[in-house]
Amino acid sequence: MNRQDPRKKVRHSPFRTAKNVWFMIRYVLRYAPGYLLVTLLEALGKGGWHVAGVLFTRYLFDAIEAGEDFRRVVTFLLFYAGYNAVFLLFSRWRLSVYLPKVELVLHEGIQNELYEKARKLDQSCYDDPEFYNDFIWAIRESDKRTVQIMENISLFLNRLLSGAVIWSLLASMDLYAALFLLCAVLAGFFVRNRLNRVRYEKKLELNPIARKKSYVGRVFYLSQYAKELRQGKISSLLREKYAGAVEEEISCIKKYVKKIFFLSLLASLLSGVVPSAGMTGYLIFRYILDPTLSLGQFSASIQASHKLFRTLNDLGSCLNKFNEHSLYIENVRRFTGYEPKIQGEIREVPPFESLEIRDLSFTYPFTEGGEPVLSHLNLSIHRGEKIAFVGYNGAGKTTLVTLLLRLYDAESGEILYNGVNIKNYSPEEYRRHIGAVFQDYKIFAATVAENVLGGEYSEEKEPVVKEALEAASFTERLKLLPDGIQTQLTREFQKNGAALSGGEAQKIAIARVFARPFELIVMDEPSSALDPISEYELNQSILKNAAGKTVIFISHRLSTTRMADRIYMFAQGKLVEEGTHGELMEKNGKYAEMFRVQAEKYRAGEEASPKGTPDAESSAVSPAAFPATSPFEQQAASWEGAPEGLRGEYPR
Ligand code: ADP
């Protein structure tokens, strides 16, 4: 692609800069509109303060020279002092009381908006590293930049006001001096602008390096990596990667250091020593040569030139800052401008009756040229059915679930929900009808009840939570938790938070789909973290509680799925067989082969284990799959009493 990466664009027109600044001001209008008023008051107050300072000096000297009435001078002085006192009071209140509060209000509002934006985006955004860059920029920069922009606006306005008055005052006394100052400041402005662009380019280059470093930091910080880090040599590999990133950082800094040094030196000369010293020398020289100049005029012109110099410099810096902010805001806007492609008009989604998949093919985004992960699938599911998707890892089962949930949209073929293409439904409304337990389920740092409800808990919801936990076979473990359903999960924030085992956490995730009245439930490897007995109990419980509901089980452990009304066998993205367990065993195809392989593993595990206990590998086939030949014979025997769908023939 030849198109220039918009992130690398370091020049913005004044119009674009203004648009970007306005974009951030709109955050202020949304979350803290009073801040705009306070900023304008500060700008006017400070501008007036600067102007009054110069005018007062001039008046004072002229009044003394002209022998004015002393009382008038004192009255004027009192007014001036009063104005200063009021402004000082306001300014202090703004800085110490108002600003810290408003910063937090803005922070909360903006971050919430960005998090919500991220939640609504398509899943495919997470496959795109550039999305992460924009997301991180937005989260890191937006609230900080909003406050900085408001402060810049305040400075800009007050300097514009005082600059205009003081400049005309100086120009009326000495036009050349006023023009000289203007030129020096303009030169400084352009140099600083260049300097800012170089700094921004450097930051752009450093951003991906910072991400590498923060990845390593995250791995060492997050508890889910802690066990792996204590094994093998992965931690030294990560440290090497970190050191590599630091080296990259150093060479990037080296690349820019000279440029930044010279530009910043030039900028300080042009906006510091050169015009300041030149101006003072020139004015003294003029005063000596021109006897018509009054002392008041001379001292006012000295003060005015210094004030003007500072004011113009500040104005230049403000414009530089607006330009700099604009570069950063552009990235924030790119993130907020991401629009989900997955959309749909229909908001009224009827209760589930059927799903039909017609000639569905799918390739993940950002894998152009790759093989389709799913190709030409056709299948249908009706209300009340228990369906199983089975197949080896990588066959495409989870991908199909993500398509059913509309986390991605397939490029060809269609999925019909009650006969309507799911692309016509609003994704949010549509997803409300499907309860899903993901293979990589997550437990949140919140109470058991909040985790189960997926939201806030209130007392009247207690029975719902408890029933859902019972449906997920969590009741026994619940009895051991110190605060029952109010127990805090994870130790992220609480020292005595409950640390659940993988299987226990998985049950909490399963309970979520029972806490809401879903008619269609999808369970992706719901028992992958469970031991065989728990798996059997859970299967029983799920079937009992999901009676009348439609359930799609996804698993490569055939013991979990054999009870299904219909089994779909996937291989390399294609549907290769379908039927009941009995039909597929009779067919003696891929399913039967997979079932036998798992049974072999189980037997091997049984022989290898003195007590016949299957090892982790062999648990691929649970006792539910076998008659009373193992230590699980009791469980297996009770299989006979299991619901109809759970029974099946066992390979011998
Ligand atoms: P299964 O659930 O049957 O184990 P998956 O649906 O998870 O299989 O994966 C099918 C294929 O899709 C795998 O080859 C996997 O690498 C690929 N895949 C899964 N997620 C992504 C993704 N986000 N981007 C690209 N490829 C993916």
Side-chain angles (χ1 to χ4, degrees):
M1 263 211 287
N2 287 331
R3 203 160 48 89
Q4 195 200 358
D5 180 351
R7 291 163 192 84
K8 303 229 165 93
K9 198 165 165 125
V10 289
R11 254 175 229 276
H12 285 177
S13 68
F15 178 64
R16 188 148 157 204
T17 303
K19 260 176 90 176
N20 284 343
V21 168
W22 172 241
F23 175 83
M24 297 309 261
I25 293 177
R26 284 200 341 238
Y27 278 130
V28 176
L29 292 177
R30 274 206 290 285
Y31 299 111
Y35 186 23
L36 200 63
L37 183 70
V38 171
T39 306
L40 292 178
L41 282 177
E42 163 82 10
L44 283 177
K46 204 164 204 162
W49 184 63
H50 279 297
V51 173
V54 174
L55 292 179
F56 176 72
T57 315
R58 183 176 175 169
Y59 169 78
L60 199 66
F61 279 101
D62 283 348
I64 293 166
E65 262 188 349
E68 270 245 29
D69 180 4
F70 184 64
R71 271 175 308 184
R72 272 197 68 184
V73 176
V74 172
T75 317
F76 193 81
L77 187 72
L78 284 177
F79 265 119
Y80 179 59
Y83 178 81
N84 277 354
V86 171
F87 174 68
L88 196 75
L89 210 66
F90 169 76
S91 209
R92 282 291 107 198
W93 166 81
R94 194 187 79 93
L95 268 181
S96 325
V97 182
Y98 186 74
L99 264 190
K101 212 166 67 188
V102 91
E103 272 174 21
L104 281 179
V105 172
L106 278 173
H107 172 77
E108 191 201 343
I110 296 174
Q111 297 289 326
N112 265 340
E113 202 174 301
L114 295 176
Y115 292 152
E116 185 56 13
K117 176 85 199 173
R119 189 188 72 81
K120 285 191 173 154
L121 287 176
D122 295 339
Q123 185 81 13
S124 59
C125 287
Y126 291 91
D127 297 325
D128 176 10
E130 294 300 351
F131 165 79
Y132 276 111
N133 273 343
D134 292 338
F135 188 21
I136 287 166
W137 274 83
I139 295 282
R140 232 181 3 214
E141 299 288 337
S142 45
D143 51 340
K144 198 173 73 188
R145 293 271 160 196
T146 310
V147 174
Q148 287 173 1
I149 282 172
M150 293 306 285
E151 294 307 292
N152 209 35
I153 289 176
S154 161
L155 190 67
F156 181 74
L157 289 180
N158 87 54
R159 294 303 195 256
L160 196 66
L161 181 73
S162 53
V165 175
I166 302 169
W167 196 82
S168 22
L169 196 75
L170 186 68
S172 73
M173 293 187 288
D174 194 323
L175 184 63
Y176 293 114
L179 286 175
F180 167 72
L181 275 186
L182 201 61
C183 291
V185 168
L186 270 178
F189 165 75
F190 286 116
V191 174
R192 269 205 307 265
N193 225 9
R194 175 88 193 95
L195 178 65
N196 281 345
R197 290 205 302 266
V198 173
R199 283 190 175 136
Y200 173 76
E201 279 169 29
K202 179 178 133 195
K203 202 157 177 180
L204 269 185
E205 237 173 280
L206 284 174
N207 204 32
I209 305 173
R211 273 183 50 211
K212 284 185 200 165
K213 282 170 58 183
S214 87
Y215 170 73
V216 176
R218 224 166 51 231
V219 167
F220 278 96
Y221 160 78
L222 290 173
S223 62
Q224 59 257 47
Y225 293 99
K227 285 194 226 82
E228 260 93 348
L229 279 181
R230 278 150 187 75
Q231 311 214 322
K233 296 201 167 127
I234 193 74
S235 76
S236 40
L237 178 80
L238 286 169
R239 279 204 304 274
E240 268 167 37
K241 282 190 186 296
Y242 193 88
V246 173
E247 262 170 40
E248 270 182 72
E249 198 173 8
I250 291 171
S251 66
C252 174
I253 289 171
K254 269 190 192 154
K255 182 172 143 193
Y256 286 99
V257 77
K258 263 194 217 154
K259 245 190 209 172
I260 290 180
F261 172 75
F262 284 115
L263 284 171
S264 48
L265 187 69
L266 192 59
S268 358
L269 284 177
L270 284 172
S271 47
V273 187
V274 174
S276 167
M279 193 65 210
T280 312
Y282 167 76
L283 286 175
I284 293 175
F285 184 67
R286 245 206 85 185
Y287 182 66
I288 295 169
L289 286 189
D290 188 353
T292 62
L293 271 185
S294 72
L295 184 64
Q297 277 173 322
F298 170 69
S299 58
S301 60
I302 284 273
Q303 202 191 7
S305 71
H306 279 280
K307 259 206 181 342
L308 181 63
F309 172 59
R310 272 209 312 273
T311 305
L312 291 181
N313 246 340
D314 287 348
L315 263 180
S317 306
C318 282
L319 291 173
N320 288 136
K321 277 269 162 216
F322 280 135
N323 273 335
E324 183 197 313
H325 290 318
S326 177
L327 296 173
Y328 288 81
I329 296 166
E330 195 80 2
N331 293 323
V332 176
R333 289 187 71 181
R334 203 176 6 264
F335 172 71
T336 57
Y338 272 94
E339 277 307 326
K341 292 192 190 83
I342 297 185
Q343 303 219 6
E345 297 295 314
I346 307 175
R347 298 193 64 80
E348 291 288 317
V349 183
F352 175 73
E353 286 298 332
S354 68
L355 262 182
E356 199 178 330
I357 292 173
R358 287 191 195 153
D359 199 27
L360 191 78
S361 297
F362 178 68
T363 309
Y364 275 102
F366 308 104
T367 55
E368 279 105 59
E371 285 287 300
V373 174
L374 293 175
S375 49
H376 305 291
L377 296 190
N378 286 290
L379 60 89
S380 56
I381 297 165
H382 296 98
R383 185 156 62 98
E385 284 183 325
K386 309 287 177 282
I387 299 293
F389 293 167
V390 303
Y392 289 107
N393 288 335
K397 307 179 296 292
T398 301
T399 303
L400 181 55
V401 171
T402 60
L403 294 178
L404 289 181
L405 287 166
R406 273 200 90 196
L407 296 174
Y408 294 88
D409 270 344
E411 65 262 29
S412 81
E414 49 185 12
I415 301 175
L416 306 175
Y417 176 96
N418 294 0
V420 177
N421 192 324
I422 59 172
K423 288 184 182 172
N424 294 321
Y425 290 119
S426 139
E428 294 231 348
E429 295 304 323
Y430 168 73
R431 285 182 205 133
R432 273 188 232 287
H433 287 255
I434 307 178
V437 182
F438 298 102
Q439 197 174 355
D440 52 352
Y441 59 88
K442 291 282 174 279
I443 293 299
F444 298 96
T447 64
V448 172
E450 286 162 341
N451 263 286
V452 170
L453 292 167
E456 274 177 42
Y457 170 78
S458 54
E459 240 168 66
E460 71 271 10
K461 292 181 185 159
E462 186 179 335
V464 176
V465 175
K466 289 198 165 155
E467 278 163 30
L469 287 168
E470 194 177 340
S473 301
F474 192 80
T475 315
E476 288 308 309
R477 182 67 177 94
L478 185 63
K479 286 180 193 154
L480 303 176
L481 293 179
D483 299 316
I485 59 170
Q486 295 292 19
T487 306
Q488 192 75 24
L489 292 185
T490 82
R491 297 202 174 141
E492 185 86 24
F493 304 116
Q494 273 198 14
K495 228 159 115 185
N496 57 352
L500 300 180
S501 73
E504 289 161 352
Q506 196 166 27
K507 286 178 178 176
I508 298 270
I510 291 169
R512 280 181 198 142
V513 296
F514 288 114
R516 282 162 60 191
F518 294 114
E519 306 115 24
L520 175 59
I521 295 174
V522 184
M523 297 204 175
D524 193 352
E525 302 284 359
S527 51
S528 59
L530 300 184
D531 61 77
I533 294 177
S534 307
E535 181 182 22
Y536 167 69
E537 284 171 357
L538 180 71
N539 281 343
Q540 271 197 318
S541 182
I542 289 176
L543 284 183
K544 188 172 125 214
N545 287 283
K549 297 186 182 204
T550 315
V551 186
I552 304 174
F553 287 97
I554 294 117
S555 188
H556 61 275
R557 288 160 63 150
L558 302 186
S559 56
T560 308
T561 55
R562 55 184 298 169
M563 71 304 190
D565 295 318
R566 197 160 52 261
I567 296 169
Y568 289 103
M569 170 87 189
F570 288 74
Q572 289 160 346
K574 294 193 178 74
L575 206 52
V576 288
E577 283 170 20
E578 71 173 89
T580 61
H581 172 75
E583 286 164 0
L584 293 179
M585 289 307 291
E586 205 165 303
K587 193 172 177 195
N588 204 15
K590 291 227 178 253
Y591 177 86
E593 182 192 313
M594 187 176 173
F595 193 80
R596 274 195 291 272
V597 169
Q598 290 191 4
E600 280 306 316
K601 276 191 182 163
Y602 171 73
R603 290 207 179 91
E606 196 184 37
E607 277 158 22
S609 161
K611 286 186 184 168
T613 310
D615 57 17
E617 174 78 328
S618 67
S619 71
V621 172
S622 81
F626 294 91
T629 54
S630 72
F632 302 110
E633 59 190 31
Q634 252 188 316
Q635 283 299 323
S638 73
W639 195 247
E640 295 306 316
E644 181 59 30
L646 271 168
R647 270 183 262 135
E649 53 173 289
Y650 306 117
R652 286 169 194 270

